[in-house]
C-alpha cells in the first residue's frame, strides 16, 4: 500500500456493523494516534449502549462528542442517537437535528461528506455491513477529495447491501474483511507525524 498521510478516520455501518467493529477495533494498539468518528444506525428513541460496548473492544478512549468539541487524536467518537455528527473545517464536531437522510439520523453520508470537506486527502472513510445505501454518497465525496476509501467485503459482511452499494458507485481503494480493515487502519498511523492528527 502506498504511504498515505491520514489525519482522521470515519467509519459507518448499520445492520451487522457492530460485529465488524468488534473485529477491527482490537487491531488498533494503545496509543494509536488518529481520531476515529463512528456512525452506526441506532433506534432514535432508545438509550444507546454503543460506547460501553465498544470500550470492551478497543484500547482507546471512546465516547460521544459534544457540539463544538475539538477533535483529539487517539480517541474513538461515537455519534449519539438521533443526532447527525458532522466534522467542521476547524476540526471540531457539530451535532445536528436536521431531518433524517435515507431514513437515518445519524447519517453516514452527513459524517463522511463533512469530514471530506474538512480533511480532504488526509481522510480515510470505512463503510461496513448494512442494509441500505447510506454511506455510498459520502465515500464518493471522500474519493473526490483525494481521501482513502475502504469497504467491508460484501462476501464477508453480515449484510452486504451497504458496502455493495458503495462498490457500485465508487472506485474503492480497499475491500476486505473487517479484521483485515483493522490491520490496514493500524498501518495508516505509521506516516503520521506528531501534531498532524489535530
Amino acid at each position: 500500500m502506498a504511504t498515505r498521510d491520514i489525519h482522521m478516520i470515519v467509519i459507518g455501518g448499520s445492520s451487522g456493523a457492530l460485529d465488524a467493529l468488534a473485529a477491527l477495533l482490537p487491531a488498533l494498539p494503545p496509543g494509536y494516534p488518529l481520531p476515529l468518528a463512528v456512525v452506526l444506525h441506532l433506534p432514535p428513541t432508545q438509550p444507546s449502549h454503543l460506547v460501553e460496548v465498544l470500550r470492551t473492544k478497543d484500547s482507546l478512549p471512546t465516547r460521544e462528542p459534544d457540539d463544538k468539541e475539538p477533535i483529539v487524536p487517539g480517541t474513538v467518537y461515537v455519534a449519539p442517537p438521533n443526532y447527525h455528527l458532522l466534522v467542521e473545517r476547524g476540526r471540531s464536531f457539530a451535532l445536528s437535528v436536521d431531518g433524517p437522510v435515507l431514513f437515518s439520523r445519524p447519517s453516514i453520508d452527513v459524517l463522511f461528506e463533512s469530514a471530506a470537506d474538512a480533511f480532504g486527502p488526509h481522510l480515510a472513510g470505512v463503510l461496513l455491513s448494512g442494509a441500505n445505501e447510506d454511506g455510498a454518497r459520502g465515500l464518493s465525496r471522500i474519493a473526490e477529495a483525494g481521501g482513502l476509501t475502504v469497504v467491508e467485503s460484501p462476501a464477508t459482511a453480515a449484510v452486504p447491501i451497504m458496502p455493495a452499494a458503495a462498490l457500485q458507485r465508487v472506485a474503492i481503494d480497499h475491500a476486505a474483511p473487517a479484521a483485515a480493515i483493522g490491520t490496514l487502519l493500524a498501518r495508516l498511523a505509521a506516516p503520521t507525524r506528531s501534531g498532524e492528527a489535530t
Side-chain angles (χ1 to χ4, degrees):
M1 179 184 70
T3 299
R4 302 290 291 262
D5 189 15
I6 299 299
H7 298 181
M8 185 172 187
I9 297 165
V10 289
I11 300 174
S14 185
S15 301
L18 184 57
D19 288 341
L21 281 171
L24 74 83
L25 286 175
L28 306 181
Y32 185 75
L34 302 181
L36 301 93
V38 178
V39 162
L40 292 189
H41 293 165
L42 298 169
T45 58
Q46 299 178 14
S48 170
H49 301 288
L50 186 56
V51 168
E52 289 80 4
V53 171
L54 294 183
R55 280 177 179 158
T56 69
K57 310 297 181 186
D58 65 46
S59 60
L60 305 175
T62 303
R63 59 194 182 79
E64 294 178 356
D66 294 322
D67 190 47
K68 308 305 179 188
E69 179 176 336
I71 296 170
V72 174
T75 303
V76 178
Y77 296 98
V78 178
N82 213 25
Y83 286 90
H84 292 307
L85 179 63
L86 298 89
V87 175
E88 298 188 311
R89 289 185 183 271
R91 301 195 174 181
S92 60
F93 288 110
L95 300 177
S96 165
V97 292
D98 287 348
V101 176
L102 292 173
F103 309 102
S104 300
R105 187 174 65 203
S107 159
I108 300 166
D109 281 334
V110 168
L111 171 63
F112 282 16
E113 290 172 348
S114 63
D117 291 344
F119 281 85
H122 303 296
L123 181 71
V126 180
L127 193 60
L128 302 174
S129 172
N132 71 10
E133 297 187 1
D134 190 19
R137 190 181 72 201
L139 269 187
S140 179
R141 177 77 66 84
I142 292 172
E144 290 168 1
L148 183 71
T149 55
V150 182
V151 298
E152 185 177 4
S153 172
T156 59
V159 183
I161 296 170
M162 188 172 282
L167 283 166
Q168 290 177 353
R169 183 168 184 156
V170 187
I172 297 295
D173 293 307
H174 299 278
I181 293 173
T183 301
L184 169 65
L185 298 185
R187 286 162 48 201
L188 287 180
T192 301
R193 294 176 291 279
S194 176
E196 285 189 340
T198 58

